[in-house]
């Protein structure tokens, strides 16, 4: 349903032209609306799971949810960086993270509990999983990433949309947010080995604290519920 024959080739190589053209391109606007709908579907599912868990366990497994639709400028940059054709159909085919949902959980175990509750729903199809908690990135980045496909219901029928869901602890989010702000990647790892190394040390320290906090919670749970022993 999305085609872009109306886009002139000359508009596809310059970011500012792309951004301006997309602002008034009905198909692009429709596609972004569809990604926003997909985000709302996922967000509602997560909020319902959070409410239910809270009722049963007296605490929330989700601390916060943040969502975003990738901006036209970022879409353009990523397509260029990855060498994809810059067109609307190419966005649909090649980008998995136009719709993004970031879920921040108190404890590591909550990440897997929330992920499993979400992906076991029968309208949620998993397209890709990357467990950067079991396999952290070399810089120490940790998070559980999914690309899921979910249906949205429009007047014209059902459309399947891709959404990137990142699930991490408050501590992992603290590290990722600050690391993201530092913009050190512009220099390349070779020139910044000390900085990369120090950030990795921080990430590992934070992870050890996450594990420790979870052990403390489990200990408290055992004291509260001796019958579970
Ligand atoms: P991209 O082209 O970046 O999308 O690579 P990919 O598709 O292999 O995705 P990956 O799962 O590696 O990362 C996707 C997203 O995770 C990024 O857009 C960031 O939001 C987050 N992320 C990944 N690595 C890092 C990192 O080292 N630091 C921070 N702060 N965030 C990261
Ligand atoms: Mg990605």
């Amino acid at each position: 349903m999305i085609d872009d024959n109306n886009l002139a080739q000359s508009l596809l190589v310059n970011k500012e032209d792309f951004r301006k053209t997309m602002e008034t391109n009905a198909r692009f606007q429709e596609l972004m609306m569809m990604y926003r709908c997909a985000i709302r579907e996922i967000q509602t599912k997560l909020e319902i799971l959070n409410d239910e868990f809270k009722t049963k366990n007296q605490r929330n497994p989700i601390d916060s949810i943040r969502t975003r639709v990738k901006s036209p400028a970022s879409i353009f940059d990523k397509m260029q960086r990855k060498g994809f054709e810059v067109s609307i159909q190419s966005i649909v085919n090649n980008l998995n993270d136009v719709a993004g949902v970031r879920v921040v959980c108190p404890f590591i175990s909550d990440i897997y509990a929330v992920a499993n509750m979400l992906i076991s729903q029968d309208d949620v199809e998993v397209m890709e999983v990357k467990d950067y908690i079991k396999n952290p990135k070399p810089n120490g980045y940790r998070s559980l990433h999914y690309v899921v496909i979910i249906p949205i219901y429009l007047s014209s029928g059902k459309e399947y949309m891709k959404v990137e869901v990142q699930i991490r602890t408050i501590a992992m989010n603290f590290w990722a947010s600050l690391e993201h702000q530092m913009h050190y990647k512009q220099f390349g790892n070779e020139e910044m080995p000390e900085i990369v190394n120090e950030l990795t040390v921080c990430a590992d320290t934070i992870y050890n604290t996450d594990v420790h906090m979870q052990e403390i919670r489990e200990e408290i749970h055992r004291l509260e519920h001796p019958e579970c022993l």
Side-chain angles (χ1 to χ4, degrees):
M1 58 163 284
I2 308 278
D3 82 54
D4 37 339
N5 298 332
N6 54 339
L7 293 178
Q9 280 302 314
S10 61
L11 295 174
L12 305 181
V13 292
N14 175 291
K15 177 157 65 175
E16 192 47 27
D17 285 345
F18 176 80
R19 199 187 60 73
K20 280 212 191 101
T21 309
M22 291 308 148
E23 257 174 31
T24 52
N25 182 288
R27 294 194 187 286
F28 182 81
Q29 293 302 326
E30 184 187 9
L31 181 63
M32 294 303 117
M33 175 274 295
M34 288 160 65
Y35 282 119
R36 287 196 298 274
C37 292
I39 285 175
R40 282 157 68 187
E41 292 281 357
I42 294 287
Q43 180 155 9
T44 301
K45 285 174 180 297
L46 290 165
E47 285 168 357
I48 289 172
L49 291 169
N50 204 26
D51 279 359
E52 189 210 3
F53 191 102
K54 173 79 193 279
T55 308
K56 287 183 174 161
N57 302 292
Q58 290 77 52
R59 65 174 199 88
N60 286 314
I62 297 176
D63 181 73
S64 62
I65 301 171
R66 284 185 67 175
T67 66
R68 67 103 181 89
V69 173
K70 217 178 185 65
S71 68
S74 300
I75 289 174
F76 181 87
D77 283 343
K78 187 154 187 176
M79 309 266 271
Q80 291 254 302
R81 198 171 67 240
K82 302 240 169 185
F84 298 131
E85 181 193 292
V86 179
S87 70
I88 293 179
Q89 192 54 51
S90 174
I91 297 172
V92 176
N93 295 346
N94 297 316
L95 297 193
N96 296 339
D97 64 345
V98 176
V101 176
R102 184 169 293 151
V103 187
V104 177
C105 300
F107 295 99
I108 299 166
S109 57
D110 294 329
I111 295 174
Y112 292 98
V114 168
N116 290 330
M117 289 187 291
L118 180 68
I119 64 169
S120 61
Q121 299 191 0
D122 58 18
D123 55 350
V124 178
E125 185 195 331
V126 175
M127 188 182 145
E128 185 186 288
V129 194
K130 289 183 192 165
D131 189 339
Y132 294 124
I133 301 169
K134 292 203 169 67
N135 304 297
K137 288 202 171 185
N139 63 358
Y141 176 77
R142 286 171 173 82
S143 193
L144 179 61
H145 291 191
Y146 281 91
V147 177
V148 297
I149 299 176
I150 59 145
I152 61 165
Y153 296 87
L154 302 175
S155 60
S156 52
K158 185 161 45 170
E159 296 283 345
Y160 288 93
M161 305 301 296
K162 292 186 241 178
V163 181
E164 185 185 77
V165 183
Q166 302 179 347
I167 317 175
R168 49 172 85 141
T169 60
I170 296 170
M172 293 169 192
N173 193 47
F174 157 70
W175 183 93
S177 302
L178 271 57
E179 186 261 4
H180 181 69
Q181 278 181 33
M182 292 189 198
H183 302 294
Y184 65 95
K185 284 173 187 163
Q186 59 185 308
F187 299 109
N189 284 4
E190 300 73 36
E191 287 141 284
M192 306 292 276
E194 215 21 69
I195 288 188
V196 175
N197 188 43
E198 285 184 59
L199 283 167
T200 310
V201 169
C202 288
D204 294 349
T205 305
I206 285 166
Y207 180 69
N208 290 335
T209 307
D210 250 344
V211 171
H212 197 172
M213 292 297 275
Q214 181 158 312
E215 286 166 357
I216 296 169
R217 199 205 70 205
E218 283 162 8
E219 185 57 33
I220 294 168
H221 185 82
R222 275 192 289 276
L223 293 170
E224 283 174 345
H225 301 277
E227 72 280 5
C228 294
L229 285 173

